[in-house]
Amino acid sequence: MKNAALIFVIASTLNSFNLAHAEGQDPVAMKKMYDATRNSSGLITYCVDKGFLKADSTESAKKMVAYVAGIPGGMDTSGGDKSEAYGREGKVMEQDGQYKSLEIGAPQGVEAWCKGADEGIRKGLESVGL
């Protein structure tokens, strides 16, 4: 599923993204990354609410959001609240910016998707020392 891949891309981006070189990045790409990160945070909350993850998973998601939001260069955060709210409803942001139901779009099952996303976020945070 493209959506799960997006979360893993975000998590791996935490490892490879050098904040010192972030300025001058494409503003559209940076906004998409921020919105996707906020959506991922909402999805992690959704997974916790469903009982698939423990509450500490939301802390990892918040750390990821804070890390991405801290990228210098005046990131557009205007759509973040909406993206996170959709995530809390179990809706995943697609690469085209549309939202799809995680219940329908996770071929491996929602619980497996949640656990994989949580693991990806934790590994990404660990790789940057968070």
Side-chain angles (χ1 to χ4, degrees):
M1 173 178 179
K2 292 179 193 176
N3 306 331
L6 184 57
I7 288 179
F8 293 117
V9 166
I10 291 168
S12 64
T13 298
L14 295 176
N15 182 32
S16 63
F17 207 92
N18 183 342
L19 292 178
H21 295 102
E23 291 189 50
Q25 294 293 325
D26 175 26
V28 173
M30 298 300 289
K31 177 170 179 36
K32 280 185 177 182
M33 184 169 77
Y34 178 77
D35 289 347
T37 303
R38 289 289 301 272
N39 181 245
S40 300
S41 180
L43 286 162
I44 293 296
T45 300
Y46 173 82
C47 293
V48 169
D49 290 347
K50 289 285 190 182
F52 299 139
L53 298 174
K54 294 181 181 178
D56 69 332
S57 296
T58 59
E59 293 306 313
S60 295
K62 288 177 186 177
K63 285 181 186 178
M64 179 180 65
V65 169
Y67 182 86
V68 171
I71 296 171
M75 186 174 307
D76 180 359
T77 61
S78 62
D81 289 344
K82 179 179 103 176
S83 292
E84 188 165 337
Y86 278 129
R88 288 173 183 251
E89 295 173 7
K91 296 178 182 173
V92 181
M93 188 175 88
E94 296 280 327
Q95 291 179 345
D96 64 1
Q98 300 297 311
Y99 293 88
K100 309 271 178 165
S101 171
L102 180 60
E103 299 285 339
I104 296 168
Q108 73 276 33
V110 175
E111 184 173 6
W113 186 94
C114 291
K115 289 180 178 180
D118 184 49
E119 182 181 344
I121 290 168
R122 289 176 190 271
K123 285 183 178 180
L125 289 170
E126 186 179 301
S127 71
V128 295
L130 297 177

